[in-house]
Amino acid sequence: MIPPIASNFVAGEGPAEALDHVRDLNDGDVKGILNLLGEHYQERPPADEDADAYVDLVDDIHESDVDACISVKPSQIGLDVGDDVFVENLDRIVDHAAAREVFVWIDMEDHTTTDVTLDAYERLARETDGMVGVCTQANLKRTGEDLQRLAPLPGKVRLVKGAYDEPKEIAYKKKSEVDRMYREYLELMFREFEGGVAVGSHDPAMIDVARELHDEHGTDFEVQMLMGVREDAQFELAEEYEVWQYIPYGSKWFSYFYRRIRERKENALFALRAVVGN
Ligand code: FAD
């Protein structure tokens, strides 16, 4: 069982708890993006197993009344084993999901995976007429070109600042530079995309930029934030805009929880208060 201290950031060990969490969110008009925790499998069996679990999760979403979609990490479904394993498992998940009108997001991992991930996205976006989305990272210098390529496709694109420590030759390293590029890429997206813009950030400044760009261009957008981070803001924003919460669940919760705690002082203080019961 997940200890109460971690349950702020992780919905539970199984899909039933995750779907219960989505039901509560849906009451406040926030929708759910479900992510089964797991990544970097070096062998095929665990990658196939997680792909199977996503197929079952799609059935659960389809058969329930929740407003939810899924988000999959390439290395979780076989990218480290081989590009062909990743593509085969992704196709299997997306075919199953599209037939049941469940949307599939593809998370973006480090820069060595960008091409294969975008190629798979482009093909599936066309084949399913937009039932997939992909993440792009503002810290990568290539992202402007990638966004131009993605703009005419059906589907959705989530812009994040980027979670991976990339080499300085190909990435912006300073926070101020990444923030500047995030704004610039948002401008490009609201200008060039017909819709399907997802703002994957907790940063109030970036959300304000998106609101202004929406007023200027009228382009549809949604805000995406993580479970346990600025949840009050999520519900407040949902009164005006589409808001999706990214919800991790599964037995491999510890390292994810540990990352969230290390990331910010506020989260550590929250965890400490939970322990001392104050
Ligand atoms: P930061 O630059 O970290 O913070 C800016 C401001 O936001 C802070 O000053 C504060 O005001 C507010 N804030 C941020 N965190 C907190 C907090 N914990 N509590 C209170 N306020 C806070 N990265 C990838 O590389 N690939 C992915 O596929 C990917 N998917 C993601 C999906 C979603 C839905 C989200 C939200 C993020 C995803 N990320 C992904 C992570 C992303 O790249 C960033 O590392 C992460 O979101 C932190 O950047 P930020 O924009 O939230 O703001």
Side-chain angles (χ1 to χ4, degrees), residues 24-244:
D24 290 344
L25 286 181
N26 286 172
D27 288 342
D29 281 338
V30 173
K31 303 165 198 233
I33 305 172
L34 294 168
N35 171 253
L36 172 63
L37 290 164
E39 59 195 312
H40 292 301
Y41 298 134
Q42 302 303 317
E43 308 281 342
R44 181 151 189 166
D48 288 347
E49 234 169 73
D50 277 14
D52 291 344
Y54 274 118
V55 166
D56 291 344
L57 180 62
V58 163
D59 287 334
D60 290 344
I61 293 171
H62 179 64
E63 284 155 21
S64 72
D65 49 354
V66 299
D67 211 337
C69 63
I70 63 173
S71 202
V72 179
K73 279 200 176 6
S75 74
Q76 172 178 29
I77 55 169
L79 188 59
D80 292 356
V81 186
D83 290 4
D84 54 334
V85 180
F86 159 60
V87 167
E88 207 180 293
N89 274 328
L90 184 65
D91 281 7
R92 188 154 67 88
I93 295 166
V94 171
D95 284 352
H96 195 78
R100 288 156 187 79
E101 294 188 352
V102 175
F103 193 87
V104 179
W105 281 99
I106 312 168
D107 286 350
M108 187 60 80
E109 298 182 281
D110 73 68
H111 75 278
T112 62
T113 69
T114 312
D115 283 325
V116 66
T117 306
L118 293 184
D119 288 349
Y121 167 75
E122 175 164 1
R123 182 177 50 78
L124 288 167
R126 291 186 203 282
E127 281 175 18
T128 63
D129 198 20
M131 285 303 289
V132 285
V134 74
C135 180
T136 55
Q137 298 150 324
N139 65 331
L140 291 190
K141 293 180 181 171
R142 60 175 287 168
T143 293
E145 268 175 44
D146 290 337
L147 289 171
Q148 296 284 0
R149 167 184 172 189
L150 301 177
L153 300 175
K156 293 189 195 176
V157 178
R158 171 201 305 153
L159 181 67
V160 299
K161 290 189 184 175
Y164 297 84
D165 187 16
E166 304 285 12
K168 66 176 187 317
E169 293 72 27
I170 57 154
Y172 302 101
K173 303 296 286 181
K174 282 195 203 144
K175 181 171 162 41
S176 58
E177 279 181 327
V178 177
D179 285 354
R180 179 171 59 81
M181 292 317 295
Y182 195 98
R183 287 189 170 86
E184 222 169 87
Y185 293 146
L186 275 184
E187 277 168 29
L188 186 159
M189 292 173 84
F190 277 86
R191 201 176 57 236
E192 308 275 335
F193 283 48
E194 276 182 20
V197 174
V199 181
S201 177
H202 309 104
D203 193 337
M206 301 306 149
I207 311 269
D208 281 349
V209 171
R211 297 165 89 132
E212 283 163 23
L213 288 165
H214 170 70
D215 290 346
E216 187 183 340
H217 297 281
T219 315
D220 281 341
F221 79 108
E222 63 191 53
V223 177
Q224 299 186 357
M225 294 192 196
L226 303 181
M227 179 179 175
V229 180
R230 300 196 67 217
E231 289 202 346
D232 290 350
Q234 296 181 26
F235 289 112
E236 235 170 76
L237 282 163
E239 289 170 15
E240 234 180 313
Y241 303 103
E242 195 171 319
V243 177
W244 291 79

